[in-house]
């Protein structure tokens, strides 16, 4: 359990099919039951919108993005909000925002880093996006803006090294290459398990909020769980009967 006020920026890495999306669905369920503490939950799904689109209609606080073209404006607006909130904290003599959080979840981050350019203007826009994301990773935590970035391989060509370093809470699922896992923690010595030997759903969690590193396993969240969540958020929504698929009567 990590209170939202203490949550630091999060890095999630691991090979495809090892449980990252399952864990993300579980965490989203928790966030949705705590929307009273959240001003905006931004879901960036750069894998075609398949994984996160199911959440977009659950609340007006949820913003769903599946196109890279919407990201530069998002990052620029978040930086503006960050500076406004930091100025307000300074005037009130406080250290950090305690509610009204803005949480940005990006899946898959490598699609940002590996963006191909269509010209000079497109390249400059991309560089401004990366600069703003890096700035947010450095300063936005006190302003109540939290970043969550997922990808398969946290290598320098998939994620800027300085940005990766600022994502202090780390969830590492199975990775076949030790060097990739080491890039998430700095070193593998002292971890509770070898990331190259983890089973499906298992992950090593460096909890920066509580200064601990533990081995955990995520619970499975299926479509009926999601339907139950929709029913909880929207009382008029009727989930399908157990055993029936979304397309069944």
């Amino acid at each position: 359990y990590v209170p939202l006020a203490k949550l630091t920026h999060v890095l999630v890495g691991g090979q495809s099919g090892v449980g990252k999306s399952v864990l993300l669905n579980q965490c989203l369920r928790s966030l949705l039951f705590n929307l009273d503490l959240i001003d905006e939950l931004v879901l960036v799904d750069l894998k075609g919108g398949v994984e996160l689109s199911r959440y977009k209609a659950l609340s007006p606080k949820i913003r769903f993005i599946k196109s890279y073209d919407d990201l530069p404006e998002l990052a620029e607006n978040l930086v503006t909000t960050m500076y406004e909130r930091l100025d307000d904290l300074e005037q009130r003599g406080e250290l950090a925002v305690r509610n009204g959080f803005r949480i940005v979840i990006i899946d898959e981050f490598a699609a940002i880093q590996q963006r191909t350019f269509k010209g000079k203007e497109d390249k400059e826009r991309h560089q401004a996006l990366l600069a703003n994301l890096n700035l947010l990773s450095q300063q936005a935590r006190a302003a109540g803006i939290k970043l969550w970035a997922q990808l398969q391989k946290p290598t320098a060509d998939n994620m800027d090294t300085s940005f990766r370093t600022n994502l202090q809470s780390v969830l590492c699922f199975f990775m076949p290459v030790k060097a990739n896992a080491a890039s998430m923690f700095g070193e593998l010595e002292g971890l509770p398990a070898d990331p190259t030997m983890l089973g499906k759903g298992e992950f090593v969690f460096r909890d920066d909020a509580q200064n601990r590193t533990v081995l955990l396993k995520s619970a499975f969240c299926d479509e009926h769980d999601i339907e139950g969540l929709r029913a909880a958020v929207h009382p008029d929504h009727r989930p399908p009967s157990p055993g029936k698929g979304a397309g069944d009567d």
Side-chain angles (χ1 to χ4, degrees):
Y1 171 74
V2 181
L4 279 176
K6 294 184 178 181
L7 180 68
T8 61
H9 302 311
V10 178
L11 170 64
V12 182
Q15 183 172 278
S16 178
V18 297
K20 299 191 303 297
S21 294
V22 171
L23 176 66
L24 178 56
N25 280 310
Q26 289 286 52
C27 292
L28 282 171
R29 292 184 72 196
S30 178
L31 290 173
L32 289 168
F33 278 113
N34 290 278
L35 280 176
D36 56 324
L37 300 175
I38 298 172
D39 276 357
E40 184 178 40
L41 176 59
V42 182
L43 305 180
V44 181
D45 190 342
L46 300 179
K47 299 188 296 184
V50 175
E51 186 63 40
L52 302 180
S53 62
R54 68 185 82 179
Y55 295 100
K56 62 184 179 182
L58 290 182
S59 169
K61 291 186 176 183
I62 297 176
R63 180 180 178 186
F64 176 70
I65 294 175
K66 66 176 183 179
S67 172
Y68 169 92
D69 294 335
D70 295 326
L71 293 180
E73 182 181 1
L74 169 68
E76 187 175 342
N77 290 340
L78 286 172
V79 168
T80 299
T81 299
M82 177 186 74
Y83 282 132
E84 290 173 349
R85 288 187 170 192
L86 291 177
D87 287 343
D88 183 60
L89 287 172
E90 182 182 4
Q91 292 175 12
R92 291 189 284 113
E94 298 180 3
L95 297 178
V97 169
R98 295 300 174 185
N99 53 46
F101 301 108
R102 293 199 173 187
I103 300 175
V104 182
I105 296 176
I106 304 174
D107 184 25
E108 146 95 25
F109 190 89
I112 298 177
Q113 192 79 19
Q114 296 179 359
R115 170 77 173 182
T116 56
F117 310 123
K118 299 177 182 178
K120 181 180 179 182
E121 184 177 346
D122 190 33
K123 182 177 181 179
E124 291 175 349
R125 194 163 177 252
H126 177 74
Q127 290 174 336
L129 167 61
L130 294 180
N132 281 332
L133 288 174
N134 200 24
L135 186 62
L136 289 167
S137 72
Q138 294 170 353
Q139 302 181 31
R141 179 184 169 190
I145 300 172
K146 319 282 188 173
L147 305 178
W148 174 301
Q150 296 201 167
L151 75 174
Q152 294 185 32
K153 295 188 295 183
T155 53
D157 57 331
N158 289 329
M159 177 178 283
D160 182 77
T161 303
S162 58
F163 178 78
R164 183 182 68 213
T165 302
N166 290 325
L167 306 181
Q168 292 295 309
S169 291
V170 174
L171 294 86
C172 179
F173 287 81
F174 170 75
M175 285 195 178
V177 180
K178 285 192 174 184
N180 292 341
S183 67
M184 300 182 70
F185 296 100
E187 60 181 10
L188 298 181
E189 186 176 352
L191 294 181
D194 183 348
T196 65
M197 301 293 290
L198 295 176
K200 192 170 184 178
E202 293 180 336
F203 61 96
V204 177
F205 175 36
R206 185 178 70 192
D207 181 358
D208 187 59
Q210 302 184 57
N211 192 28
R212 60 173 185 160
T213 301
V214 294
L215 175 64
L216 299 173
K217 185 167 185 175
S218 60
F220 183 67
C221 179
D222 64 14
E223 279 299 322
H224 289 291
D225 293 321
I226 301 298
E227 288 294 335
L229 177 60
R230 289 195 183 103
V233 176
H234 295 293
D236 294 335
H237 178 80
R238 295 181 61 190
S241 301
K244 291 188 177 182
D248 297 333
D249 294 328

